[in-house]
Amino acid sequence: MDGILKHIHSTEDIKNLNEKELKQLCRELRRFLLQKVSKTGGHLASNLGIVELTVALEYCFHLPEDKIVWDVGHQAYIHKMLTGRKEGFDHLRQLDGLSGFPKPTESDCDAFAAGHSSTSISAAFGLAKARDLTGGKEHVIAVIGDGSMTGGLAYEALNNVGKEHTRMIVILNDNQMSIDTNVGAISRHLNSLRTSYQYRGWKEAVKQFRDNVPVIGEGTYQVLKNVRDGAKMLLTGGALFEQLGLKYIGPVDGHDLPDLIELFENVKEMNRPVLIHVKTIKGKGYPYAEERPWAYHGVGAFDLKTGQPLSKGGRSWSSVFGDKMVEIGKKNPKVAGITAAMSGGTGFEKFQRAFPKRFFDVAIAEQHGTTFAAGLAKGGVTPVFAVYSSFLQRAYDQIVHDVCMQKLHVVFAIDRAGIVGADGETHQGVFDISFLSHIPNMTVLSPKNAWELEEMLDFAVNEWNGPIAVRYPRGTAETAFAEQKEPITYGKAEVIQKGRDIAVLAEGHMLKPAAEAAERLEAEGYHPVLVNMRFLNPLDTELLKEIAETCAHIVTVEDNLRKGGFGSKVLEYYGDAGIQTDVLNLAFPDKYIEQGTQAQLFERYGLDAAGIYNSIKERLGE
């Protein structure tokens, strides 16, 4: 660890550093970040770009008394290093290690937990109003990226902040990126602000006129200031924020540490809401990340010298989806693609390149994306909305009200369903079976392998005519059970292995560990039935009834929370039908699941092959 950084244990330790030492600290922080993230993986480019901004903030404000709310939170690594957690970076995003996101249970310097986009201004506004109501004096700062500013929640908050005229600071960290390149009118507006240096030059000229012509300078300064402010509206477009009731300052250089410190010290004295537009370079200080910031947004372990990943997996579920959608798009001209700023992450960029007029990136706006899809469907188009499971949670009302109530043919391709691993609690996709399968008219499927994902997409787009979701996990697509290619039939499960006494029902990729557990049972003289559920809603009740007649014990296995999962629906069916049978639901418990690799978490919660086998044996009293 470098010279100055090794002495930094809290933000108070940086307050006595001079300008030269602070700049040296920034260089050390970048080196430390690169060294650690290249070994553990994590969010790299966004944190490289926010070094000076973070140092300036924590130099000027006093944590934890003052509150900094980080939007999404993936850019808070430097903040963590300055608040006593740099030793934890050897286990960043690992099982029981340092979280990759702000976590108040980890440090009282983390003012608010985060992991999803566009929440910071709302949360900071709440903290500021709570301060006012309780007689506090602390400063409250929201740090939000320009990517997050494409989410409607940010504007709902800004509208409220300006109306209430609440004292707080919003820092717009503008690096022209989120995960993918930003799109839409808001992005274009911010781009117009970035090019407004002619206004900044005029501003400086007004100041110089006042200072250099003291006899008439002060007398005419106010007139010139009014002209300057008019130019500000014309040349910078800052009127958007000013009209919402916030004082707009910027754009300013987010890597000019002395200027940032001077600016923050001045802004601290303002008794009104202020928005500071800070321009930064995503990936700054690491050439590979500066050239391709999207590729270094979230990385696995990589070679620091070459920038290349240390390991390469097989074909991903996302890639399978993307390739199949191109094939479907060629055959069906009515198919359109939708993503919420995640064309690369979901594998949809192939469809985007092939059919640019039929592809829509709605930015970080899942609610809008869902209702937009409903409108397309109503107009005779078949929209496929590719979205991460944890992000789809934001569109729950739109799914219920705008899609399912009207029985519209919208296809939800739910990527990262189930356990995702190192991103932890905020990103685990373990709720979608529960929150989708109880909605009337919604069909939910889960594929056992890559071939079945392709078949389910074909079914969802070309054969079905109503709301339908296909959920699939993160990582390398499963290739097991390649010989099992029974056609998809609505509402029907697939019997992989016939038997008696014990039935193991698995959803999606959980079929593989379930099959391994069944194989162990068979070696001990049991004759388990093995079922690939395929349809999680509706269930194959005909098969469930048949199984109950021959099996005294039924086991369900799913990559979802136990409550509301397909196992719960199996229990509900048997209860409603008055069928007496023993049902064991194997799923994740009713809690937020921590970070760790997928394999580690399946093992910890008894959902790997050994855990499934042991749970069944325990149920059998053995």
Side-chain angles (χ1 to χ4, degrees), residues 515-531:
E516 293 173 6
E519 186 177 354
R520 290 183 64 178
L521 291 169
E522 193 168 23
E524 296 176 3
Y526 294 96
H527 302 281
V529 177
L530 181 62
V531 177

Side-chain angles (χ1 to χ4, degrees), residues 139 169 249 262-270 274 276:
H139 295 281
I169 300 167
I249 299 173
E262 180 181 3
L263 175 60
F264 293 155
E265 291 294 347
N266 290 332
V267 167
K268 284 165 65 172
E269 305 305 316
M270 293 185 180
V274 179
I276 304 173

Side-chain angles (χ1 to χ4, degrees), residues 327-344:
E327 179 186 320
I328 289 173
K330 289 177 180 177
K331 296 177 181 177
N332 187 341
K334 289 188 175 181
V335 173
I338 302 172
T339 186
M342 295 295 295
S343 61

Side-chain angles (χ1 to χ4, degrees), residues 541 568-580:
T541 54
S568 294
K569 290 177 65 66
V570 169
L571 272 171
E572 185 178 298
Y573 164 73
Y574 285 133
D576 290 348
I579 297 173
Q580 298 293 319

Side-chain angles (χ1 to χ4, degrees), residues 396-410:
Y396 178 77
D397 179 63
Q398 287 69 34
I399 297 169
V400 172
H401 182 270
D402 300 331
V403 176
C404 290
M405 189 171 70
Q406 300 184 80
K407 301 182 182 179
L408 294 173
H409 187 197
V410 175

